[in-house]
Amino acid sequence: MVQNINNRSKRILFVCPYPPNIAAGQRLKFEPHFNVLKREGYDIKQSCFMNQRLWHIAYKPGHYTEKIIWTIKGFIERVILLLTLPKYDTVYIFMNVFPFGPAILERLFRKIARRIIYDIEDNIISKELNDERRVINLLKSQEKYKFLIKTADVVITSTPALSKRCNQISASDKSIFIPPTLDDKRFVPRASSTPKEKLTIGWTGTFSSKSYLDIVLPYLEALYKERNFKMKIIGNFEMDNPVLDLEVVQWNKDDEVQQLQDIDIGLYPLSQDDWVSGKSGLKAMQYMSIGIPAVCTAAGHVVNIIDDGVDGILVFEESKWTETLKDLIDNETKRKVVGENARKKFLSKYSIESISKYYLKALG
């Protein structure tokens, strides 16, 4: 058997909740490395619980019958997938095998799979629930996350703090932190520096992270009384604001880089809680990749990413948001220098080339 494995490509099954190239936790984490893994001789298959239709309706109100049907279909496909596990050298599980209920399928996967890598994002083992998804979270069991943390051969986490917590749960040192990844050939600064009529402050995210955007809105409204700017939101929801000059665009993969390039200052507000300790700082990296200043709450892992005042800006007190943004609006040179430094750091630490080696090491 060993000789047979050595004479062929190693087979890896990626078990994911979301369709390919859509959810940030997949498309800006391990999915960008598939081509590198294939060049290194790995044979990759990806099995996604959600299809495109379920993803489209999953977080929208209504559609209950259709949601139930697609969920049952996904469960059946996961059961059938069990039969194929012996042919894979490694099963890479992102978040869960099945999103609801106890760790039944997860236990069966562990029993059958030769080797399991478990990839956990955000602090989903926190006792503090994400308010935007409180009802959904109540349908999920922390038992399955802890089971996978304890029994996986390798655990990949989104922050060093979460890695430490997982090692405590597993009573081992098998957890490793791997940063998010963006394609540095695709995420690039805008080519033209043509003067704009208005400076643009921007935020990108989904409805599930909108509560963080709400933190900074009062300070943006106060700022708008003193400075002229456009506020751009890139997301998957609609909103309005009677005070701000607001533009809301719907995210899509084909246009996301161009949408980001329209921003001059990127916002990454966060709350100060245990849940945030598992956030990877991905928004900050998106802004850094296109060479603009990321202005971030000094919370969670982002404090390890940004050197304050050099390649980004950290806001240590919530009341300082207006003052901090006003300073950047008034200082074009500072915006330019911080943005250039941010791009350099991104290329040196968070590009595909920089991160692929960590996945190759984890896969063995």
Side-chain angles (χ1 to χ4, degrees):
M1 177 65 72
V2 173
Q3 184 178 1
N4 184 43
I5 292 173
N6 288 337
N7 287 337
R8 61 164 171 78
S9 298
K10 285 191 175 182
R11 294 172 179 164
I12 303 173
L13 173 64
F14 283 83
V15 179
C16 311
Y18 312 115
N21 301 313
I22 291 182
Q26 293 175 191
R27 68 181 178 87
L28 301 179
K29 197 171 184 185
F30 53 86
E31 287 180 345
H33 301 280
F34 283 176
N35 287 335
V36 173
L37 296 179
K38 289 175 183 177
R39 287 199 301 268
E40 292 294 324
Y42 289 92
D43 183 4
I44 293 173
K45 177 177 173 58
Q46 189 174 12
S47 174
C48 303
F49 174 75
M50 286 188 182
N51 58 21
Q52 293 282 349
R53 176 57 185 169
L54 181 54
W55 167 262
H56 180 69
I57 64 173
Y59 305 113
K60 293 182 177 180
H63 305 278
Y64 298 117
T65 300
E66 192 175 359
K67 288 175 182 176
I68 291 171
I69 291 172
W70 286 119
T71 299
I72 293 172
K73 182 178 183 292
F75 177 80
I76 293 171
E77 290 175 347
R78 286 294 194 239
V79 172
I80 295 173
L81 191 63
L82 285 166
L83 303 176
T84 71
L85 297 185
K87 73 179 184 181
Y88 294 101
D89 302 295
T90 297
V91 176
Y92 187 113
I93 299 174
F94 176 54
M95 301 297 278
N96 54 62
V97 176
F98 182 69
F100 305 115
I104 297 173
L105 283 176
E106 285 77 10
R107 290 179 183 276
L108 291 172
F109 267 63
R110 176 65 280 185
K111 186 175 181 65
I112 298 172
R114 297 176 184 172
R115 182 171 182 264
I116 286 181
I117 294 178
Y118 180 46
D119 187 335
I120 179 173
E121 184 186 50
D122 290 341
N123 196 0
I124 56 174
I125 52 177
S126 170
K127 294 180 180 179
E128 298 178 0
L129 296 181
N130 184 338
D131 289 339
E132 293 292 323
R133 299 181 60 187
R134 186 173 294 273
V135 175
I136 295 296
N137 285 330
L138 290 174
L139 298 175
K140 298 181 178 181
S141 169
Q142 287 203 349
E143 175 203 355
K144 69 173 60 191
Y145 306 132
K146 292 181 179 178
F147 171 78
L148 288 167
I149 290 168
K150 290 177 182 177
T151 62
D153 297 282
V154 178
V155 177
I156 295 175
T157 69
S158 53
T159 71
L162 186 54
S163 185
K164 181 178 179 180
R165 176 66 179 132
C166 288
N167 281 338
Q168 291 171 344
I169 291 172
S170 65
S172 71
D173 59 355
K174 63 184 178 182
S175 299
I176 58 173
F177 158 61
I178 300 182
T181 310
L182 288 84
D183 184 349
D184 54 284
K185 303 297 189 296
R186 183 166 173 259
F187 286 82
V188 296
R190 61 175 176 248
S192 173
S193 57
T194 304
K196 299 163 64 176
E197 182 180 344
K198 277 188 179 183
L199 178 141
T200 301
I201 298 176
W203 178 90
T204 180
T206 65
F207 78 97
S208 63
S209 57
K210 182 179 177 295
S211 59
Y212 301 122
L213 173 62
D214 292 339
I215 293 172
V216 77
L217 282 178
Y219 303 102
L220 291 170
E221 291 171 359
L223 177 65
Y224 194 70
K225 295 176 182 178
E226 302 182 44
R227 297 293 185 274
N228 189 23
F229 65 91
K230 181 174 75 173
M231 179 65 196
K232 182 168 186 173
I233 294 174
I234 306 166
N236 63 349
F237 57 89
E238 296 290 346
M239 69 171 287
D240 52 35
N241 184 290
V243 177
L244 299 174
D245 176 6
L246 181 65
E247 178 187 9
V248 178
V249 297
Q250 298 303 301
W251 175 89
N252 71 78
K253 184 175 182 291
D254 293 336
D255 296 333
E256 68 172 331
V257 175
Q258 183 179 352
Q259 290 171 343
L260 286 168
Q261 288 173 339
D262 187 45
I263 298 171
D264 300 295
I265 299 171
L267 303 183
Y268 190 24
L270 292 166
S271 54
Q272 298 276 1
D273 54 44
D274 190 43
W275 180 272
V276 166
S277 69
K279 285 201 162 291
S280 64
L282 177 57
K283 281 187 181 63
M285 292 182 196
Q286 287 179 288
Y287 303 140
M288 294 169 75
S289 71
I290 61 168
I292 64 171
V295 184
C296 316
T297 302
H301 179 56
V302 74
V303 300
N304 300 318
I305 298 172
I306 285 179
D307 185 359
D308 183 32
V310 178
D311 46 44
I313 307 295
L314 296 177
V315 180
F316 292 89
E317 299 176 30
E318 190 174 307
S319 61
K320 299 294 184 182
W321 271 101
T322 301
E323 177 184 329
T324 301
L325 291 172
K326 190 188 302 183
D327 177 61
L328 272 179
I329 289 173
D330 293 343
N331 195 331
E332 182 180 357
T333 300
K334 184 175 182 178
R335 295 198 307 270
K336 185 174 185 295
V337 171
V338 170
E340 289 174 348
N341 289 340
R343 173 69 180 176
K344 290 176 184 176
K345 176 175 277 190
F346 162 74
L347 289 174
S348 65
K349 292 193 173 184
Y350 304 115
S351 64
I352 292 178
E353 182 180 356
S354 301
I355 303 299
S356 288
K357 58 188 176 186
Y358 300 115
Y359 282 98
L360 289 169
K361 182 177 180 180
L363 289 167

